Amino acid sequence: MADPASSNLGRMLTDEITPVVMVLRTPLVEEATRKNGLSFIELLNPFCAFNNIDVPVRTASDQPYRLQKFKLRLFYASDIAQPNIEVAKVRIKQVITRAGEKDFPEVSSNPLAIETVLGATQHKVLPSWFQVFNQELVHTVSFAEHEAFDHPVACLLAVSSKDEESISKFVDLFNTNQLPSLINDGAMDPKILKHFVVVHDNQDGMPDRATKVLTEMRNTFGANNCRLLCINSSRDGSVERQENPWASCKSDGSQFQQLGCFLSLDDVDELKNSMQDLSSKHIIPYMEQKIRVLNQQVSATRKGFRNQIKNLWWRKGKEDVPDNPNGPTYTFNSVEFQIRVLGDYAFMLRDYELALSNYRLLSTDYKLDKAWKHYAGVQEMMGLTYFMLDQSRKDAEYCMENAFSTYLKLGSSGHRNATRCGLWWVEILKARDQHKDAASVYFRISGEEPLHSAVMLEQASYCYLFSTPPLLRKYGFHLVLAGDLYKKCDQVKHAIRTYRGALSVFKGTTWNHIKDQVHFHIGKWYAFLGMSDVAIEHMLEILACGHQSKSTQELFLRDFFQVVQNTGKTFDVLKLQLPVINVNSVKVVFEDHRTYASETATSVKEGFWHSFEEDMIPLLSSMRSNWLESHGKNFTQKYKESNICVAGEVIRVHVELKNPLQIPISVSNVSLICEHSSGSDETNPDLNSSIDNDQLRKLAINGKIGAEASSFLSGEIDLRLGAGETVVAQLSVIANIEGTLEIVGVRWKLSGSVSGFCKFDSDILKKKFARGKRKSKKSSGNYLKFLVIKSLPKLEGFVHHLPETVYAGDMRRLSLELRNPSNTPLKNLKMKVSHPRFLNIGDQDVMEMEFPSCLEKKRSSAEVYVPVKTCKARTVFSFPEDMVICGDSTCLWPLYLRAAAPGNHSLYITIYYEVGDASSIMRYRVLRMHYNLEVLPSLDVSFQISSHPSRLQEFLGRMDVINRTSSESFQVHQLSSVGNEWEISLLQPMDTVFPADFLMAGQALSCFFKLKNCRKWVNAEDNPSSLVPSEKADIRLVCGNGEALFDTSRLPLVDFHHYERLHQGISDQDHQTTVDFILISQSQSDDKSGINIFSHHACDCSVGSSSPIWWLIEGPGTVTHNFAVDFCEIKLKMFIHNSSDVTASVHISTFDSAPTIDSLSTGASVSSANEAGWRDLSVLNDIKVTSDAVGNHSGKLLSPASVSPFIWSGSSSNRVTLEPLSSTEIALQICVFSPGTYDVSNYSLHWSLFGSGDEDDKETGLRLSSGTCEGHSYYLTVLQQG
Amino acid sequence: MIVCVAVVGHQNNPLYIQSFTEADDALKLHHIVHCSLDVVDERVNNPKKSGPTLNETFLGMLYPTENYKVYGYLTNTKVKFILVTTDLDVRDADVRNFFSRFHAAYVDAVSNPFHVPGKKITSRIFADRVKNIVKSFGSSSAG
């Protein structure tokens, strides 16, 4: 450590602990000095501090040393008293308030970064007024009676030369009733050094009278103690000085120039000399002398072994003295006080060793006397002396601690002393770089007075800052604590200052609770001071306080809006955090050649549309009609680089707004900030690339005013965001003039008072989109920048009556409305539907007809049936050329909807059209429509078909219908087979099967029907009327005859059936053995006005046989024969039908032996030899059960040991040739040798088809070219006659 | 009674801070926890390099405020645990026990694959577990 005297505390002590000179003067003296704007003391004060006085002094033990620095403190006698506490408090408050005004941070300056705070030197950061404040605090306890260093050492008596009877005035001045109470109370020695001065005002004339008075005085008071002081030698009062020595004594500095204006240089020199004389020739020798005297006295009474013993004994004897809270009073002539004076004088003359030894001596005495205040005072001085000696650090601290706690123990009376002691202690610690300890001492000093505590805490915080390593968080915390206390004492400016200091600590950390609180309070306090701008700036920081509790959020918001309202204007804020704008979520929807009919259509991926429209849209290269087109290349270049939008059409931007709070907020006037430039983009490509914040603000405000309102129109919307809600705002802008339009950002208004802006960072968006689709890499241009081209016609489309939810099978007619608001005609309209199974395009003439009655079969079928040409290959539908859509006329086009399958389905429709105007940049446009359809399950229809046991070409079928809905009921209306090959008839009338009208929810229905194949051979050239579906292809399932049947061969049904088959992966060929059904049901529609038609399609129901050849054996079931006569011959007939389209050759081979080996082994155990031919009942049962099984039981009756019970007679092999769709009959015969029941199934049919020569059928012909079928079971019972 | 526990990340960012008092003194506790980080830093940077305490995770009492005692714990990943208690005589063993259980809970919480390291711990299970540990503080050794 450096020299303690040069430390902060050292300077403080050499300033504070110096001899006091009591000044007594007559009013006329004061009057003379007042001319200079100064009191007498003020006049003298600048000359009382000596930096280089160089006075030789001897210590008590005659050690010579020289005193260099010295200072006198001058006080009027009236001021030498313990200051009034209340007055002192007021003064201290003034100091703080003034400092608050002065140190109040600049509004514009941001809080310093913590690094700069750390890097700065102590003096720069530490507010300078702390020292003033500390000094004031120390002064509140000056002139205490238990300390001697504030007791006057000398007395300066001043009388004016104008005073009458100067000598008696001098005597009067040193009158007891004017003297301070210290002297009168006997606390100090009234016999002090006196110095007499005659003050002469040169303006009053020559100093003749003064010199006369001086000689008179010298005679009376002694030659050395008297002096003449001439002032105001300058008559005109215009003395100019380089440095005014009085500048520092008047702090307000109001009449700075006038201070000392009548004092010439000679006067100043005289003042200086007289004061130096006073100190070096009078005061210092006097003190030296006094030290010697006192030291001798003390040595005589107290030093030495004998004295110590005596003292101890004597003090012990005083133990029974009752405890006085202030301790015993010591008068100036008590030994103790003399020691104290000795110590203090020694301290003042820098003889610290002597001082220390005396203090030590004294402290034990006081301790024994329990004079705690005196004891503490001595301890305090000991600490300081140790410090000045720079000896034992521990001792110094120990003494200070001791003194501090002793003072505190005294209660409120000692508190101020404790404060002073603490301040000194802190300085000791600071001088030794023990900042952390110093901070804790500051913390201890802070007492009841909140204002003082605030300053102490703030000083403590700086100690933390300066300690190594710096304890920044504690620094911040203590600043916050200090700020709170300042606020409590209405020192708002101080509070703001400390909080701002704290802010630099918390900035950049994630301790949001603390940060929010700091910002909030700073904001509130600024608002309190009426500085709304700064207040709002701070308040803005805390708006997005989602982590706070709900009540805190409410408080923050309420106060914020209160502040905003008080200003009475709206604020434009760049970084408004409420609501949170998710810039990454920005999605732009615009229409170039692609136009969208609805919002949902825009959300479909571009890739889907692209592939969907592939076969409709001409390639870009083919768009250019010829190479001479001048702007072609230029344009395509541009076209590729930026987005194109059409003037007058809406660009939509979806932005996600999020409310992080738990309380709802209202956001209004949300709109896009755009920049429009009508010129060509090429000249200044980079102009708009970087819009800084100021420009953004300007743009935003411009847009609001509407300076550019003509070039584009930005829509505004209002939102209300609930707690924690995220809303996607759909903003729109319409460019009206060709040029470039760039969407820069979004602006909004929070609660109608604060405007916020947010810039869309194009970099982020670009990155996002580059990731999204690879091919857009080449489009390096700004994603939010649009090339506006002149307006084009735009087709608008809408599908009417499309329900959102339907039951499966629901079939209805919809109308597609197309509209073109512009007058330019469109041509070459084409349409494509994504799911023809669900949506089918009708013909325009259907529009006039009524649905569904137009589907009904006409009763009077006089009209010629026109077969419907199904639109099988039609994926793209072209509208007729003569259709003109322009102006306000609308065009309705029928669409059929059939809810083919349950589930959620997306239906896409694209309409392609070309703009008639050839000069436009865009040749064609597409209109995209997207609808979602939810299909609920309704009826489950299933069919089971088996061949008729006794009729050729006939089948039995069962239909099961289950209503799967939860509430809907259906009326099953009609069952139709598709095509003209099958006839259906019910086995039982519908009344008996299902008497109710409606199939209720969950109900099931089964009905049996007979199916008859009525396929006939027709030539292609035949009359188409032969293709008229037979009347019997449909059966009415509803009771009563009132309603007409629907014609399943009409257009939508046929098409839907086609797509249904297509969907199930069934080709159109090969349906001779399968049958397709359509079940039509009805239900009341929701509005009860009409009926809904439901069609359920069951395709490819197998009729139970896979071969094209159907046959049947016919013969008697039971034959009675007398086997005694001969064996029995039975004639059988076989009917064979060729159901295929080609000629077939059938070969029937019979065999008497067992046809298969495995049937041999299975039948062995069943039959006995004696009863050959008879069957067990169980076997019969078995057969009955599996009556449809063909040919498996043929060998059952055969036992390996016996011969066959019957043999085939007649020809064993028959070969017939069958024309397509024709039947033939073959006679068969068997011989039976014994009675029994026989299964005549041991034959097989080999068939082969001849190719018809038709190329199409070749493949199927080959596949089905031949086959072998086992015989059907046919049971024959032969009984013995008689 | 434990009034506050906190987990502070290695960049001195709060990961989890929970007070267990009815009074609305969350802010104060935030400040106390924040301040105690200064002491943690000090301890860590000037360790008393004696053998057994070299790898000690328990930092002991960080600083006594007027009403609270603050204890600290430093994991190997430089994550700090802070405990603020109003108990005047706390046994070191209790605090050590508390911290080891707390550490286990913390490890389980951050082992969750859905936890983002360096982000706040939002797991409700962790919160419940901490609550239990806090509740049983001091009672385990007594019983």
Side-chain angles (χ1 to χ4, degrees):
Chain A
M1 190 184 68
D3 179 24
S6 66
S7 71
N8 201 11
L9 177 64
R11 277 198 305 274
M12 217 157 102
L13 292 179
T14 46
D15 278 356
E16 291 300 320
I17 304 183
T18 51
V20 172
V21 176
M22 181 166 69
V23 178
L24 297 162
R25 83 288 186 217
T26 60
L28 284 171
V29 175
E30 196 72 5
E31 200 176 281
T33 57
R34 275 289 160 212
K35 287 178 184 171
N36 292 300
L38 297 164
S39 70
F40 186 56
I41 285 184
E42 282 170 343
L43 182 76
L44 297 177
N45 248 342
F47 311 105
C48 290
F50 313 98
N51 277 328
N52 199 8
I53 194 168
D54 199 23
V55 180
V57 197
R58 278 171 184 276
T59 63
S61 50
D62 274 345
Q63 286 280 319
Y65 67 101
R66 299 187 86 85
L67 206 60
Q68 299 297 339
K69 272 178 122 179
F70 194 68
K71 193 183 167 182
L72 291 179
R73 287 184 294 158
L74 306 185
F75 289 99
Y76 289 128
S78 54
D79 291 340
I80 298 184
Q82 293 204 19
N84 186 330
I85 296 165
E86 292 308 316
V87 174
K89 262 188 193 167
V90 169
R91 206 171 57 232
I92 288 171
K93 197 172 170 184
Q94 275 174 356
V95 167
I96 294 174
T97 313
R98 213 177 306 136
E101 299 292 335
K102 216 176 79 192
D103 265 19
F104 191 57
E106 292 282 315
V107 169
S108 55
S109 71
N110 283 320
L112 294 168
I114 195 65
E115 289 79 21
T116 56
V117 173
L118 281 174
T121 55
Q122 275 196 31
H123 301 288
K124 217 168 160 187
V125 179
L126 199 66
S128 55
W129 60 272
F130 282 162
Q131 234 168 345
V132 182
F133 169 81
N134 289 345
Q135 224 161 28
E136 287 293 341
L137 266 188
V138 169
H139 287 167
T140 56
V141 286
S142 47
F143 307 112
E145 54 183 12
H146 70 288
E147 294 160 331
F149 54 79
D150 277 342
H151 295 178
V153 172
C155 178
L156 185 70
L157 296 111
V159 170
S160 170
S161 57
K162 283 197 287 183
D163 278 315
E164 305 291 328
E165 298 180 33
S166 314
I167 307 302
S168 61
K169 281 269 187 250
F170 279 121
V171 177
D172 283 350
L173 278 178
F174 202 79
N175 198 338
T176 43
N177 53 21
Q178 284 194 20
L179 293 178
S181 58
L182 278 174
I183 295 174
N184 290 340
D185 291 351
M188 64 171 282
D189 192 356
K191 283 183 283 178
I192 55 172
L193 176 72
K194 293 196 187 84
H195 195 75
F196 304 90
V197 176
V198 179
V199 178
H200 176 70
D201 188 346
N202 272 345
Q203 286 178 342
D204 296 340
M206 291 308 287
D208 304 340
R209 185 181 149 77
T211 42
K212 211 177 82 195
V213 174
L214 182 66
T215 45
E216 214 174 309
M217 280 161 59
R218 286 198 168 134
N219 291 334
T220 323
F221 304 118
N224 287 334
N225 296 335
C226 301
R227 198 172 178 86
L228 173 66
L229 196 62
C230 293
I231 56 167
N232 297 353
S233 314
S234 174
R235 284 174 188 281
D236 51 357
S238 57
V239 177
E240 297 289 326
R241 288 186 187 78
Q242 295 287 354
E243 276 180 41
N244 197 323
W246 293 279
S248 62
C249 67
K250 288 257 173 165
S251 51
D252 51 0
S254 48
Q255 300 107 6
F256 199 70
Q257 290 305 318
Q258 283 156 26
L259 293 177
C261 55
F262 292 103
L263 298 173
S264 66
L265 284 175
D266 293 340
D267 291 345
V268 173
D269 280 345
E270 197 181 338
L271 283 171
K272 207 183 275 177
N273 288 334
S274 59
M275 288 319 287
Q276 184 149 6
D277 267 8
L278 176 66
S279 45
S280 61
K281 295 200 178 132
H282 295 94
I283 292 177
I284 295 173
Y286 170 76
M287 288 171 76
E288 197 183 343
Q289 181 66 30
K290 185 116 191 212
I291 286 171
R292 276 165 192 280
V293 173
L294 287 173
N295 194 32
Q296 274 170 15
Q297 278 182 21
V298 169
S299 301
T301 53
R302 300 296 309 280
K303 293 266 166 79
F305 185 69
R306 199 165 61 102
N307 282 331
Q308 276 183 18
I309 298 290
K310 200 168 80 185
N311 182 43
L312 263 179
W313 175 81
W314 180 69
R315 296 219 176 249
K316 281 247 156 112
K318 275 167 70 175
E319 239 174 88
D320 48 346
V321 170
D323 228 2
N324 188 341
N326 288 327
T329 46
Y330 301 93
T331 53
F332 66 92
N333 40 19
S334 67
V335 182
E336 287 83 1
F337 196 75
Q338 280 175 352
I339 301 174
R340 172 80 207 213
V341 169
L342 174 61
D344 283 351
Y345 277 23
F347 191 91
M348 286 192 268
L349 291 184
R350 314 243 191 308
D351 188 357
Y352 297 119
E353 301 280 355
L354 180 66
L356 186 59
S357 68
N358 282 298
Y359 287 143
R360 270 199 200 128
L361 189 67
L362 195 54
S363 81
T364 49
D365 286 357
Y366 282 146
K367 202 173 176 182
L368 284 173
D369 286 355
K370 296 198 173 62
W372 295 119
K373 193 171 183 178
H374 293 78
Y375 170 71
V378 172
Q379 284 286 328
E380 196 178 353
M381 287 315 289
M382 269 171 77
L384 294 179
T385 322
Y386 274 126
F387 171 75
M388 293 309 276
L389 281 172
D390 196 17
Q391 279 183 339
S392 162
R393 294 188 175 188
K394 271 246 171 62
D395 286 344
E397 270 172 55
Y398 173 78
C399 288
M400 293 315 278
E401 163 109 58
N402 206 355
F404 185 77
S405 48
T406 313
Y407 274 133
L408 279 185
K409 258 189 261 171
L410 289 173
S412 60
S413 62
H415 203 271
R416 281 188 308 283
N417 284 98
T419 304
R420 183 190 65 182
C421 172
L423 287 173
W424 280 338
W425 184 11
V426 162
E427 290 301 329
I428 291 176
L429 292 170
K430 271 191 191 171
R432 290 172 180 167
D433 281 333
Q434 288 169 297
H435 286 283
K436 227 165 48 177
D437 299 327
S440 63
V441 174
Y442 270 130
F443 202 81
R444 287 172 69 179
I445 297 173
S446 62
E448 295 108 37
E449 191 73 24
L451 187 58
H452 299 181
S453 310
V455 185
M456 291 306 162
L457 282 173
E458 197 185 343
Q459 298 194 59
S461 73
Y462 282 103
C463 286
Y464 284 121
L465 178 65
F466 296 135
S467 64
T468 44
L471 300 171
L472 286 178
R473 299 179 190 92
K474 289 200 172 179
Y475 164 64
F477 181 43
H478 282 85
L479 279 179
V480 168
L481 287 177
D484 283 345
L485 283 175
Y486 276 133
K487 178 68 188 53
K488 233 182 243 173
C489 307
D490 293 327
Q491 297 285 345
V492 179
K493 291 189 172 179
H494 277 295
I496 291 176
R497 192 175 45 79
T498 49
Y499 262 60
R500 279 173 65 113
L503 203 57
S504 60
V505 176
F506 299 119
K507 211 181 195 174
T509 64
T510 48
W511 291 82
N512 290 326
H513 273 82
I514 299 174
K515 220 162 49 179
D516 285 353
Q517 184 238 8
V518 172
H519 274 301
F520 175 64
H521 281 112
I522 294 180
K524 254 177 86 170
W525 293 335
Y526 268 125
F528 178 76
L529 293 177
M531 304 164 78
S532 309
D533 291 355
V534 208
I536 286 167
E537 199 176 296
H538 281 282
M539 294 288 232
L540 283 172
E541 298 280 333
I542 55 167
L543 284 186
C545 49
H547 50 275
Q548 297 277 14
S549 69
K550 193 178 172 188
S551 56
T552 317
Q553 293 174 359
E554 271 165 0
L555 176 76
F556 283 179
L557 273 198
R558 198 186 56 222
D559 283 13
F560 173 68
F561 287 124
Q562 209 171 343
V563 170
V564 172
Q565 270 164 19
N566 287 345
T567 63
K569 47 183 179 175
T570 58
F571 278 86
D572 298 326
V573 183
L574 189 65
K575 289 184 291 180
L576 187 59
Q577 295 175 326
L578 213 61
V580 178
I581 306 279
N582 187 353
V583 178
N584 282 329
S585 75
V586 171
K587 193 186 152 205
V588 183
V589 178
F590 62 97
E591 301 184 329
D592 40 16
H593 65 276
R594 305 160 289 196
T595 63
Y596 300 92
S598 62
E599 279 301 317
T600 53
T602 61
S603 57
V604 179
K605 272 194 185 123
E606 175 64 27
F608 171 80
W609 288 118
H610 196 75
S611 58
F612 180 54
E613 290 160 358
E614 216 160 24
D615 49 353
M616 290 175 81
I617 292 174
L619 291 172
L620 193 67
S621 55
S622 67
M623 264 176 63
R624 236 176 302 157
S625 53
N626 64 60
W627 56 273
L628 282 170
E629 246 180 296
S630 56
H631 66 279
K633 193 174 180 187
N634 189 10
F635 167 70
T636 44
Q637 188 70 25
K638 249 194 206 171
Y639 186 87
K640 273 177 188 164
E641 275 179 6
S642 68
N643 303 310
I644 292 198
C645 76
V646 179
E649 291 181 9
V650 181
I651 300 172
R652 284 195 180 77
V653 178
H654 299 210
V655 186
E656 214 174 271
L657 305 179
K658 186 179 176 219
N659 176 13
L661 305 184
Q662 295 168 37
I663 42 180
I665 54 173
S666 81
V667 183
S668 58
N669 299 45
V670 186
S671 64
L672 293 170
I673 307 170
C674 302
E675 194 181 27
H676 186 275
S677 61
S678 50
S680 169
D681 183 40
E682 309 288 322
T683 50
N684 44 8
D686 291 330
L687 185 74
N688 299 333
S689 58
S690 60
I691 289 179
D692 64 20
N693 295 336
D694 287 342
Q695 270 176 296
L696 179 69
R697 188 179 292 246
K698 212 164 68 193
L699 272 175
I701 293 161
N702 274 349
K704 213 186 287 167
I705 296 165
E708 294 179 73
S710 57
S711 60
F712 66 87
L713 194 72
S714 185
E716 296 190 338
I717 57 167
D718 296 347
L719 294 170
R720 186 167 175 82
L721 293 169
E725 199 180 357
T726 303
V727 166
V728 176
Q730 305 190 348
L731 307 171
S732 62
V733 61
I734 303 174
N736 290 325
I737 301 176
E738 292 170 58
T740 9
L741 180 79
E742 182 171 7
I743 298 172
V744 183
V746 64
R747 68 164 166 264
W748 69 95
K749 213 176 224 183
L750 178 63
S751 293
S753 45
V754 186
S755 302
F757 312 106
C758 180
K759 199 170 125 186
F760 294 149
D761 199 342
S762 52
D763 289 343
I764 297 172
L765 289 172
K766 227 184 281 173
K767 213 180 284 168
K768 196 180 84 175
F769 276 85
R771 216 187 316 124
K773 34 180 186 179
R774 291 266 173 260
K775 63 172 178 139
S776 70
K777 239 180 222 168
K778 62 184 173 190
S779 63
S780 56
N782 192 336
Y783 175 69
L784 294 168
K785 205 166 179 181
F786 295 92
L787 188 68
V788 184
I789 61 171
K790 75 169 186 181
S791 71
L792 283 173
K794 184 181 149 188
L795 190 70
E796 291 167 10
F798 183 73
V799 177
H800 290 288
H801 317 304
L802 184 73
E804 286 179 357
T805 308
V806 291
Y807 285 104
D810 196 339
M811 191 167 68
R812 34 183 106 186
R813 188 175 66 192
L814 314 170
S815 53
L816 167 73
E817 183 185 316
L818 296 176
R819 221 158 67 82
N820 175 15
S822 78
N823 283 321
T824 320
L826 307 174
K827 55 182 190 182
N828 208 357
L829 269 77
K830 287 188 264 185
M831 173 154 74
K832 190 177 174 186
V833 174
S834 64
H835 291 80
R837 195 177 160 214
F838 285 83
L839 266 184
N840 214 315
I841 305 163
D843 289 325
Q844 197 173 19
D845 49 354
V846 188
M847 272 327 279
E848 286 95 54
M849 296 190 227
E850 205 176 322
F851 185 85
S853 53
C854 63
L855 290 176
E856 282 171 14
K857 271 188 184 167
K858 302 291 174 290
R859 284 197 182 241
S860 56
S861 57
E863 56 181 290
V864 178
Y865 176 75
V866 182
V868 178
K869 49 178 198 303
T870 52
C871 46
K872 277 168 191 160
R874 191 172 64 178
T875 54
V876 177
F877 172 81
S878 294
F879 287 96
E881 286 289 331
D882 56 352
M883 197 174 81
V884 175
I885 314 171
C886 70
D888 270 341
S889 71
T890 59
C891 165
L892 288 176
W893 200 267
L895 288 177
Y896 289 107
L897 169 80
R898 182 181 161 262
N904 281 316
H905 301 278
S906 290
L907 306 179
Y908 305 95
I909 305 171
T910 294
I911 300 175
Y912 166 91
Y913 56 99
E914 285 175 14
V915 182
D917 185 6
S919 67
S920 76
I921 295 172
M922 254 184 249
R923 272 307 170 77
Y924 68 90
R925 303 186 88 175
V926 287
L927 172 66
R928 293 163 172 182
M929 287 186 260
H930 170 236
Y931 294 96
N932 276 317
L933 186 69
E934 190 187 5
V935 182
L936 305 174
S938 57
L939 296 181
D940 267 7
V941 183
S942 59
F943 291 92
Q944 219 169 5
I945 302 168
S946 55
S947 52
H948 200 285
S950 59
R951 303 238 184 99
L952 196 59
Q953 297 190 18
E954 281 190 19
F955 298 88
L956 290 175
R958 192 180 81 183
M959 175 179 71
D960 296 304
V961 182
I962 302 169
N963 185 349
R964 292 279 184 207
T965 65
S966 55
S967 60
E968 196 76 5
S969 54
F970 297 94
Q971 187 181 29
V972 181
H973 185 263
Q974 140 184 20
L975 175 69
S976 304
S977 67
V978 179
N980 48 6
E981 297 168 10
W982 300 92
E983 287 175 4
I984 312 175
S985 56
L986 279 174
L987 284 178
Q988 292 164 288
M990 202 57 199
D991 307 5
T992 56
V993 177
F994 190 71
D997 272 351
F998 286 95
L999 193 62
M1000 309 304 275
Q1003 208 172 3
L1005 157 74
S1006 293
C1007 74
F1008 294 91
F1009 55 89
K1010 202 164 75 183
L1011 203 61
K1012 187 176 177 198
N1013 188 297
C1014 58
R1015 204 159 164 227
K1016 293 186 205 98
W1017 175 249
V1018 282
N1019 283 327
E1021 309 90 51
D1022 253 349
N1023 190 349
S1025 64
S1026 64
L1027 284 170
V1028 172
S1030 88
E1031 291 292 316
K1032 289 176 183 169
D1034 311 306
I1035 45 167
R1036 189 194 309 280
L1037 295 176
V1038 69
C1039 309
N1041 292 325
E1043 287 164 78
L1045 293 173
F1046 293 103
D1047 189 349
T1048 55
S1049 57
R1050 293 274 178 155
L1051 190 60
L1053 278 171
V1054 170
D1055 272 353
F1056 282 131
H1057 186 71
H1058 166 71
Y1059 285 114
E1060 192 70 31
R1061 284 181 68 92
L1062 217 59
H1063 173 74
Q1064 292 178 17
I1066 302 159
S1067 66
D1068 278 349
Q1069 274 80 38
D1070 169 31
H1071 45 66
Q1072 58 266 50
T1073 60
T1074 60
V1075 59
D1076 295 353
F1077 294 104
I1078 298 178
L1079 177 76
I1080 295 176
S1081 56
Q1082 295 180 336
S1083 81
Q1084 289 291 325
S1085 62
D1086 302 332
D1087 50 1
K1088 306 286 177 201
S1089 61
I1091 46 171
N1092 286 341
I1093 297 290
F1094 295 83
S1095 72
H1096 297 273
H1097 297 240
C1099 297
D1100 230 24
C1101 299
S1102 171
V1103 294
S1105 152
S1106 59
S1107 93
I1109 307 298
W1110 304 336
W1111 75 95
L1112 192 71
I1113 289 180
E1114 218 168 69
T1118 310
V1119 176
T1120 311
H1121 185 76
N1122 188 359
F1123 282 99
V1125 180
D1126 61 350
F1127 56 87
C1128 174
E1129 275 189 346
I1130 301 165
K1131 284 190 171 21
L1132 301 169
K1133 271 184 193 165
M1134 178 181 265
F1135 297 93
I1136 306 174
H1137 178 77
N1138 177 10
S1139 69
S1140 74
D1141 291 333
V1142 291
T1143 313
S1145 154
V1146 180
H1147 167 84
I1148 303 145
S1149 55
T1150 57
F1151 34 85
D1152 296 337
S1153 59
T1156 54
I1157 289 170
D1158 60 53
S1159 59
L1160 282 176
S1161 57
T1162 50
S1165 60
V1166 180
S1167 51
S1168 68
N1170 297 335
E1171 293 177 325
W1174 290 94
R1175 290 177 62 107
D1176 290 337
L1177 194 63
S1178 61
V1179 176
L1180 277 168
N1181 282 340
D1182 185 26
I1183 288 164
K1184 223 183 247 171
V1185 168
T1186 58
S1187 61
D1188 56 341
V1190 180
N1192 283 342
H1193 309 283
S1194 53
K1196 277 270 162 74
L1197 296 177
L1198 302 176
S1199 73
S1202 69
V1203 290
S1204 174
F1206 69 91
I1207 54 163
W1208 292 93
S1209 56
S1211 63
S1212 65
S1213 170
N1214 284 301
R1215 183 178 292 275
V1216 287
T1217 304
L1218 280 166
E1219 291 299 308
L1221 298 172
S1222 64
S1223 303
T1224 191
E1225 190 185 318
I1226 296 171
L1228 295 172
Q1229 196 178 12
I1230 57 168
C1231 294
V1232 180
F1233 303 103
S1234 60
T1237 300
Y1238 302 97
D1239 180 8
V1240 187
S1241 64
N1242 49 349
Y1243 61 93
S1244 63
L1245 260 76
H1246 305 277
W1247 51 268
S1248 57
L1249 298 176
F1250 303 122
S1252 64
D1254 194 348
E1255 289 296 316
D1256 289 345
D1257 283 348
K1258 194 159 249 177
E1259 204 174 313
T1260 52
L1262 282 173
R1263 181 158 58 84
L1264 291 169
S1265 60
S1266 63
T1268 304
C1269 300
E1270 300 296 328
H1272 298 302
S1273 321
Y1274 175 72
Y1275 293 107
L1276 179 69
T1277 305
V1278 184
L1279 298 173
Q1280 174 68 40
Q1281 196 175 33
Chain B
M1 190 187 79
I2 292 178
V3 291
C4 182
V5 289
V7 180
V8 180
H10 72 285
Q11 285 163 330
N12 288 334
N13 48 328
L15 297 180
Y16 177 84
I17 182 158
Q18 181 65 50
S19 53
F20 298 95
T21 53
E22 276 81 48
D24 185 24
D25 53 0
L27 187 68
K28 187 162 87 180
L29 293 169
H30 270 254
H31 271 299
I32 287 174
V33 171
H34 187 240
C35 276
S36 57
L37 294 178
D38 266 339
V39 191
V40 173
D41 277 358
E42 211 176 26
R43 295 263 165 101
V44 173
N45 293 332
N46 313 308
K48 298 181 187 85
K49 294 259 194 225
S50 57
T53 58
L54 194 61
N55 290 322
E56 178 66 66
T57 49
F58 180 57
L59 298 172
M61 184 155 77
L62 297 182
Y63 78 110
T65 64
E66 318 98 286
N67 306 319
Y68 304 114
K69 281 184 167 182
V70 185
Y71 289 86
Y73 184 91
L74 182 77
T75 69
N76 292 325
T77 50
K78 299 268 185 280
V79 173
K80 292 122 193 158
F81 301 150
I82 310 284
L83 162 69
V84 185
T85 173
T86 51
D87 294 348
L88 289 177
D89 49 339
V90 182
R91 288 199 297 166
D92 247 18
D94 281 351
V95 183
R96 275 172 201 276
N97 180 32
F98 169 84
F99 274 128
S100 67
R101 292 174 66 192
F102 190 77
H103 196 171
Y106 168 77
V107 167
D108 287 352
V110 296
S111 303
N112 182 346
F114 296 105
H115 172 77
V116 184
K119 290 272 176 284
K120 293 203 169 173
I121 301 170
T122 51
S123 157
R124 206 181 312 144
I125 294 170
F126 177 70
D128 289 344
R129 233 172 119 179
V130 169
K131 213 175 182 177
N132 280 331
I133 298 172
V134 165
K135 227 180 253 169
S136 64
F137 174 68
S139 61
S140 59
S141 62

